[in-house]
Amino acid sequence: MTGFTPLEYQDGYLPIADHGLIGDGTTAALVARDGAVVWLCLPRFDSPPVFCRILDHERGGAFSVAPEGIVAAHQYYEPDTAVLVTEMRTPGGLVRLTDALVLRSGARLEEDVAADRGELVRLVEVLQGPVTLHIDLEPRAGGEVCGRSEALCIRPAGREDIELQLSSNLTIAEPHTRLELQSGARLSLVLRWDTLSRRHRPVAPDEALEATRAAWRQWIAGFDYDGPRVPLVRRSAITLKLLNAFAYGPILAAPTSSLPEWIGGPRNWDYRYSWVRDTAYAVYALSRIGMGREAFGFLGWVLDAFERHGRPSVLYTVDGDRPPPERVDPELRGYRSSPPVRWGNAAADQIQHDIYGEILDCAYIWQRQQGALDRQLWTRLVPLITAARVAWDRPDQGIWEVRTPGRVFTYSAALCQVALERGARLAVRYGYHGETERWRATADEIVAAILRDAWDPKLAALTANLGGGPLDASLLTLPLRRLIPAEHPKMVSTVRAIQTGLGAGGGLIYRYLPQELPDGLHSNEGAFLICSFWLVDNLAMQGRVREAHDLFETLCDRAGEVGLLPEEIDPTSGAFLGNYPQAFSHVGLISSGVNLARLAAEPEKAAVP
């Protein structure tokens, strides 16, 4: 926990890092250090936002609870929970605000069932007073006050499916209320939303908070990690779980949309969906620290989605459907005037061949933990292995989802190799029918093609495409997937070239340079954080352990006050960029921590088995 610091707004916005995340496995909210809920989609992660001030500080709407005259604030999580505390200091007062999207009593977060109550609890305690407390409930585009005697009722404009109900232990009769509170005063606020499909027995706010604390602490009790930066790895595990749609199984790339990858630039995407790749990475990271049950939920979810739609897709909604078409919001101006604000994601229509390897790798890891792979699951995996054998040398849009004509990306070919190699292993291990020898032969052919055709002697590096191309930081994953040993001369040289050619300073790495790898957009972007964690892994596996540890510590120090990480970082200022918090970044932190710990104990266990 850090000390109080002043609030510093730029263009009317707090820095992205000045926000904590709360969630209930159905939706998530961002709470700013000034006491405002500036992001909340209802009723679920990928629904339209009711509050989105972070995307337009004038028109986005927020639910603000704050004392008048804040001079400094700080945030922290209650230990081992997703209950967030914001403390705000005024010249003569101190207010503690405790926030949670509360869970049902007795909820077990490792089970694939919904746990939410559809309630946001905000508990205010005046630690020093007196204070003037402002409560402002303002949905995006305003709302109509409804007639309810027991609670303030608001129907957000344009949302016939949602009704907001604000109840309190004190009288809150208007959307904008001012209260004079003395030291020791306690105010409880409960924001409920009715979708006309369910009702819960009312529970006292303190009781709901205690049930929520208990559920999170029961889940994190399975945490198993003994390596560097334990508290931050522990927090990363909780953050990934906050991005998990409990009832379905996937993990979101991020809970937000359109936070810019460069201030003023157009690289603003909707990440409130589950990418097959991102979820596979996340469940693997969780499985390495004792949270392996998420892997099976993901496998079932993604295979069901594949079968439902007839072919694999890059990303899905939380319930396995196709996301809506990508569109630009004409009303919102974007964070710090960085338009466009987008809803939906056109990457859903792309071809990305790496998804075959992501699924097979996840299945392989899961069966190692369970010691079994049932025949029905195997029959659902075989078509993916077969597809990888055909697709590996065909163009696609790649891991970075370029919006240009497809190319044969080295990373995509590598993950097709993973699908074939893991498939062959599984067939042999369990005696299942499959074209094992053919799969193995193609897997060997892919490795040879990468070493031969992706190698650029002028760059002295493996490159983005088979047949040549620019540097691409995704190739740092090749040793992690056991395609090419980290100490292979071409891999050592590639790491050196990426450090030099894609290095952004301070241990940060660009994923690629857009002017060298055209992606259909003409703008800068920040350094992609997970690439730096991949660099940590490579350095450690090449025996540069001290250098790897130092880089890991530097990256961990970049986490925000409450331990959250963004997608990207501005190398010049250290400011957070992109959607937040980002699953990929927390996956990288967990995996690098595990790799460093395992390399210290047993070097052969560091990479993916």
Side-chain angles (χ1 to χ4, degrees):
M1 186 190 309
T2 60
F4 286 85
T5 56
L7 299 175
E8 297 183 359
Y9 295 86
Q10 293 179 288
D11 308 317
Y13 298 84
L14 285 172
I16 293 172
D18 280 15
H19 299 81
L21 180 72
I22 56 175
D24 58 12
T26 298
T27 190
L30 291 181
V31 183
R33 281 205 304 136
D34 62 5
V37 174
V38 296
W39 180 263
L40 177 61
C41 297
L42 294 177
R44 69 181 201 181
F45 294 108
D46 52 1
S47 299
V50 172
F51 308 121
C52 57
R53 181 182 290 173
I54 199 167
L55 294 181
D56 192 318
H57 71 95
E58 292 181 348
R59 292 175 285 189
F63 178 17
S64 180
V65 178
E68 189 174 283
I70 301 173
V71 296
H74 75 147
Q75 288 184 315
Y76 58 92
Y77 285 105
E78 292 187 4
D80 286 347
T81 75
V83 178
L84 181 70
V85 178
T86 305
E87 293 185 343
M88 295 166 279
R89 190 179 294 282
T90 71
L94 176 62
V95 170
R96 176 182 294 154
L97 173 63
T98 301
D99 282 308
L101 285 163
V102 291
L103 305 175
R104 299 180 189 177
S105 179
R108 305 275 300 190
L109 305 192
E110 68 274 15
E111 297 177 352
D112 295 331
V113 296
D116 65 296
R117 291 185 56 83
E119 296 177 356
L120 166 63
V121 169
R122 315 199 75 186
L123 178 63
V124 178
E125 301 169 271
V126 181
L127 304 182
Q128 297 174 18
V131 299
T132 300
L133 190 75
H134 291 264
I135 302 168
D136 297 287
L137 180 60
E138 186 175 355
R140 179 190 175 180
E144 175 188 358
V145 177
C146 313
R148 290 222 178 185
S149 58
E150 71 277 10
L152 175 65
C153 174
I154 295 180
R155 183 169 291 114
R159 294 295 305 274
E160 297 299 323
D161 59 324
I162 287 289
E163 182 180 281
L164 303 178
Q165 301 166 18
L166 180 64
S167 59
S168 173
N169 62 327
L170 302 179
T171 300
I172 306 293
E174 301 292 337
H176 303 282
T177 301
R178 189 173 80 168
L179 299 174
E180 303 294 335
L181 300 177
Q182 302 298 316
S183 181
R186 295 179 88 252
L187 169 69
S188 61
L189 298 164
V190 180
L191 183 68
R192 298 181 175 90
W193 41 95
D194 279 339
T195 59
L196 307 179
S197 62
R198 66 177 182 179
R199 295 288 188 273
H200 293 309
R201 176 180 64 85
V203 172
D206 285 333
E207 183 181 341
L209 281 172
E210 196 52 44
T212 302
R213 295 182 184 104
W216 283 105
R217 287 170 177 158
Q218 183 276 329
W219 180 79
I220 198 64
F223 180 83
D224 182 16
Y225 170 80
D226 183 18
R229 302 298 283 259
V230 172
L232 197 55
V233 173
R234 201 173 181 95
R235 176 52 53 190
S236 290
I238 293 174
T239 302
L240 289 180
K241 191 63 178 175
L242 279 167
L243 301 180
N244 179 210
F246 295 171
Y248 299 102
I251 292 176
L252 304 183
T256 57
S257 176
S258 299
L259 291 178
E261 296 174 11
W262 194 257
I263 300 301
R267 297 177 184 273
N268 314 321
W269 313 113
D270 191 349
Y271 277 10
R272 301 170 303 146
Y273 306 108
S274 180
W275 272 251
V276 171
R277 174 192 313 112
D278 295 39
T279 297
Y281 269 88
V283 297
Y284 169 59
L286 289 172
S287 72
R288 302 181 83 188
I289 54 174
M291 312 299 188
R293 290 192 61 168
E294 280 70 15
F296 190 68
F298 163 63
L299 274 177
W301 170 83
V302 75
L303 293 172
D304 287 346
F306 284 3
E307 289 185 349
R308 186 186 314 169
H309 299 286
R311 70 173 182 85
S313 182
V314 175
L315 66 129
Y316 296 94
T317 62
V318 294
D319 55 359
D321 281 335
R322 300 268 296 173
E326 183 174 298
R327 67 179 181 87
V328 170
D329 193 312
E331 298 176 355
L332 298 176
R333 290 178 291 189
Y335 177 79
R336 293 186 59 194
S337 298
S338 299
V341 169
R342 291 184 173 94
W343 309 117
N345 198 302
D349 297 320
Q350 291 186 348
I351 301 297
Q352 297 176 24
H353 299 317
D354 66 294
I355 59 176
Y356 305 121
E358 310 294 2
I359 300 302
L360 264 295
D361 210 21
C362 190
Y364 185 77
I365 293 162
W366 180 81
Q367 64 81 30
R368 281 177 62 92
Q369 295 174 337
Q370 303 299 313
L373 183 77
D374 66 72
R375 187 175 296 276
Q376 183 178 4
L377 177 56
W378 172 250
T379 60
R380 301 175 76 187
L381 293 174
V382 169
L384 304 180
I385 307 169
T386 302
R389 190 184 66 79
V390 174
W392 74 270
D393 59 352
R394 295 183 178 180
D396 71 348
Q397 268 60 50
I399 181 176
W400 305 130
E401 302 183 342
V402 298
R403 298 192 172 200
T404 53
R407 285 158 267 180
V408 181
F409 281 97
T410 306
Y411 180 87
S412 298
L415 268 291
C416 287
Q417 191 275 352
V418 170
L420 292 158
E421 196 275 341
R422 305 300 191 265
R425 285 197 190 195
L426 290 171
V428 171
R429 177 167 296 176
Y430 295 103
Y432 291 148
H433 174 73
E435 297 180 299
T436 307
E437 294 306 315
R438 195 174 188 184
W439 295 342
R440 282 176 169 165
T442 306
D444 291 342
E445 181 184 353
I446 294 172
V447 173
I450 289 173
L451 289 171
R452 180 186 65 247
D453 299 335
W455 177 255
D456 185 327
K458 293 182 179 179
L459 292 175
L462 297 168
T463 60
N465 310 119
L466 297 186
L471 294 172
D472 178 357
S474 72
L475 303 191
L476 293 172
T477 64
L478 297 181
L480 309 182
R481 301 297 189 137
R482 292 190 183 273
L483 270 86
I484 301 172
E487 64 273 15
H488 189 288
K490 287 189 175 180
M491 199 66 229
V492 172
S493 185
T494 298
V495 170
R496 187 181 304 115
I498 287 173
Q499 284 184 282
T500 302
L502 298 181
L508 298 174
I509 299 291
Y510 294 112
R511 52 182 175 168
Y512 57 87
L513 300 180
Q515 63 270 28
E516 296 181 1
L517 197 161
D519 58 10
L521 297 165
H522 304 286
S523 74
N524 294 327
E525 65 174 5
F528 208 78
L529 200 49
I530 196 173
C531 298
S532 293
F533 286 112
W534 290 338
L535 178 58
V536 169
D537 300 333
N538 277 265
L539 294 175
M541 295 170 70
Q542 290 175 5
R544 300 159 66 180
V545 178
R546 175 46 52 196
E547 191 177 348
H549 269 285
D550 290 346
L551 177 54
F552 181 74
E553 292 292 333
T554 297
L555 297 173
C556 288
D557 288 342
R558 292 185 180 274
E561 182 178 38
V562 292
L564 303 183
L565 292 169
E567 179 184 22
E568 299 184 2
I569 287 179
D570 183 340
T572 59
S573 66
F576 287 8
L577 294 170
N579 285 305
Y580 168 88
Q582 179 79 3
F584 240 11
S585 300
H586 287 279
V587 165
L589 191 150
I590 292 172
S591 295
S592 290
V594 171
N595 281 340
L596 289 171
R598 291 190 175 186
L599 277 169
E602 300 177 81
E604 72 280 2
K605 288 188 177 181
V608 177

